[in-house]
Amino acid sequence: MNLRAAIALCVALALCTLLVMPGNFPGLGADARFTLAVFALATCAWIGTSIDDTYIALGAALALTVTGVISNDTLFGTLGDSTVWLLICAFVLAAAVARTGLAGRAAVFLVSGARTVRQLVHLTTAALVVTAFAVPATSGRAALALPVFLALAKVLADRKRLVVMLALLFPTVILLSAVATLIGAGAHLITVSVLWEATGEHIGFGEWLLVGLPLAVVSSHLAAELVLLTTTRRADRTGPVHITPAQIQEHSENPVTGPWTQAEKRCALLMATVVLLWCSEPLHRLPPAIVALIGAVVASSPALGTVRLKDALKTVPWSLLLFMAATMAMGVALADSGAAKWLVSGLPTGEPPVVFLLIVILVSTAAHLVLQSRSARSSVLVPLVVAASVGVGVNPAAAALASTAAAGFCHTLPASAKPVTLFSQIPGTPTYTPRDLLRLSAFLAPLTAGLVLLFAVAVWPLLGVPLTR
């Protein structure tokens, strides 16, 4: 057992001992005590052990069900939650897009127009932000973008610093731009579910897009500038850049130029229609999950589709879906048992809303240092943030969105996020070092935290999400 695991185990056992003793915490019921003990054990296991996150979450949810804290219907009902279906169908749509090669055409359309290093950086950033609408989850987007990066790395092989800069740019933008859409990360769906269970407030695809996309665009392009300035020298940035479609085609299995195939046209039309329907939910009242299911059925249909359903379903991260379902059940237990309310009952209520929000953002920004899973961070933090926000007069939706957006920063270590890990280990291609990540994080962490606070206080209220109730 390593030191980190030993510390986590000691902390978990100490907390459980305190909770079990009858004389402690007289205002806490039996169900709440057990729920807090299970949550403490699960959190410490996520932090200090190498056991699969999904296995830990399932074990915790099962323990809460067997002991009667939550019902069987609650546990199994989370698997049928609309957010789970939304993610399944989104991955089917992403498989259809990947099969057609539309991503390669989009890369050529944007990147081949760059004539300077700075243009290349910001056009690449714009392209990566757009992928948040087509591919769910950051790890899926990283896998889709990797071939594009490798093609650019081959073209710029004689300019090593630029290759390292691009290797750092791709995961940085992928992680920060995920906040643009509801399907950008599994943590977003957990946040929406927790908010609905705790307050009855629903955030749809359109509402999330309205508040998330501006933050994603601003933070991604500012982060791109930081990556450029912290990993290259002036001489690296002044040289011209010329990337041709033929150079990108050498590293793509599908055509990136020329007339579009019928499959590409159908897939592009389908994706445009699905995104349009998601954004116009208030007009037609079709839930995002139903729209996604319609799109998935069409995308995998024998006549109009571009991928077979069984092949598309192989791309679905079933482990992530089970993790989401289990942590949703844990969130219900926290709320229904009174554990969440008790946890935040001791917090001071006289603090200004901005101070409370700042604390939430700072904690959420730093949480990746102990909880590497983005979904796990939201599962632990969002129920507490929502419960605490009510006591201090802060809008729970604003607090939950701010916490989730701030948790998108996870760039400090190579193991902090899957995209960061993926781009740090590319055989035969220059890439960044842990020192490069630390240097970037020193500037990026305060920048992203400050941006989230600025948007929550000054921008989101103009878009229908006030800071206070």
Side-chain angles (χ1 to χ4, degrees):
M1 181 182 296
N2 58 38
L3 179 61
R4 185 175 181 179
I7 293 174
L9 179 61
C10 291
V11 171
L13 292 176
L15 290 173
C16 290
T17 302
L18 290 174
L19 289 166
V20 168
M21 295 178 67
N24 294 330
F25 320 118
L28 202 57
D31 283 354
R33 287 174 182 270
F34 185 75
T35 300
L36 288 175
V38 170
F39 228 90
L41 286 170
T43 303
C44 290
W46 281 329
I47 294 172
T49 72
S50 58
I51 301 173
D52 185 78
D53 290 344
T54 302
Y55 187 86
I56 295 169
L58 286 174
L62 186 60
L64 293 169
T65 305
V66 170
T67 54
V69 177
I70 56 176
S71 66
N72 296 341
D73 291 341
T74 298
L75 174 63
F76 295 120
T78 56
L79 285 171
D81 191 270
S82 61
T83 55
V84 173
W85 278 92
L86 174 62
L87 199 58
I88 292 173
C89 297
F91 271 98
V92 173
L93 289 168
V97 173
R99 182 64 61 91
T100 61
L102 285 174
R105 288 187 181 273
V108 168
F109 176 75
L110 286 169
V111 175
S112 62
R115 293 295 176 266
T116 66
V117 173
R118 183 162 272 107
Q119 284 181 353
L120 175 63
V121 166
H122 286 284
L123 287 174
T124 300
T125 298
L128 290 172
V129 171
V130 172
T131 62
F133 293 90
V135 182
T138 54
S139 56
R141 292 169 62 205
L144 181 70
L146 184 59
V148 178
F149 164 73
L150 291 175
L152 295 176
K154 295 294 184 183
V155 175
L156 300 170
D158 59 334
R159 303 172 72 176
K160 181 179 177 181
R161 287 186 185 274
L162 291 188
V163 176
V164 173
M165 180 271 296
L166 288 174
L168 189 53
L169 175 71
F170 272 71
T172 297
V173 175
I174 286 171
L175 290 168
L176 293 181
S177 62
V179 74
T181 70
L182 182 59
I183 63 171
H188 302 171
L189 302 177
I190 292 173
T191 297
V192 169
S193 177
V194 170
L195 194 62
W196 169 255
E197 292 287 347
T199 67
E201 186 170 354
H202 174 66
I203 299 179
F205 188 93
E207 291 87 349
W208 191 290
L209 182 70
L210 187 63
V211 298
L213 181 58
L215 175 60
V217 171
V218 173
S219 62
S220 295
H221 283 280
L222 289 178
E225 278 293 321
L226 274 181
V227 171
L228 182 62
L229 294 175
T230 57
T231 56
T232 62
R233 299 171 180 171
R234 184 183 296 273
D236 301 317
R237 300 190 290 269
T238 55
V241 172
H242 182 61
I243 300 172
T244 65
Q247 291 171 319
I248 296 179
Q249 181 66 75
E250 293 176 3
H251 306 280
S252 176
E253 297 178 358
N254 299 301
V256 296
T257 57
W260 284 34
T261 65
Q262 289 300 317
E264 288 175 325
K265 292 178 181 178
R266 291 197 305 269
C267 190
L269 178 61
L270 175 61
M271 287 303 304
T273 303
V274 168
V275 173
L276 180 62
L277 290 174
W278 277 338
C279 296
S280 58
E281 180 188 354
L283 299 178
H284 52 70
R285 299 295 180 183
L286 280 176
I290 294 298
V291 172
L293 183 56
I294 295 171
V297 169
V298 174
S300 58
S301 64
L304 301 175
T306 59
V307 65
R308 292 189 301 175
L309 182 59
K310 67 177 184 178
D311 294 331
L313 291 176
K314 291 178 182 178
T315 67
V316 177
W318 298 105
S319 179
L320 172 62
L321 296 178
L322 288 173
F323 179 86
M324 285 176 52
T327 52
M328 286 178 194
M330 292 170 65
V332 172
L334 272 177
D336 291 353
S337 68
K341 185 177 180 180
W342 178 85
L343 276 175
V344 301
S345 60
L347 295 177
T349 57
E351 297 293 339
V354 174
V355 174
F356 170 78
L357 200 63
L358 177 61
I359 295 172
V360 168
I361 291 171
L362 292 177
V363 171
S364 301
T365 301
H368 72 282
L369 296 174
V370 291
L371 278 173
Q372 295 176 350
S373 168
R374 192 170 186 166
S375 297
R377 293 198 293 276
S378 289
S379 301
V380 173
L381 292 175
V382 173
L384 302 180
V385 167
V386 170
S389 62
V390 176
V392 297
V394 173
N395 179 10
L401 285 169
S403 174
T404 306
F409 172 79
C410 37
H411 302 67
T412 308
L413 302 170
S416 295
K418 291 178 182 177
V420 180
T421 304
L422 177 64
F423 279 86
S424 68
Q425 302 172 356
I426 305 176
T429 302
T431 187
Y432 48 85
T433 64
R435 184 177 179 181
D436 295 324
L437 282 175
L438 290 174
R439 183 168 56 245
L440 174 65
S441 298
F443 298 98
L444 189 57
L447 173 65
T448 53
L451 277 176
V452 173
L453 182 64
L454 175 64
F455 269 75
V457 172
V459 180
W460 289 348
L462 302 177
L463 302 176
V465 184
L467 176 58
T468 57
R469 304 190 69 171

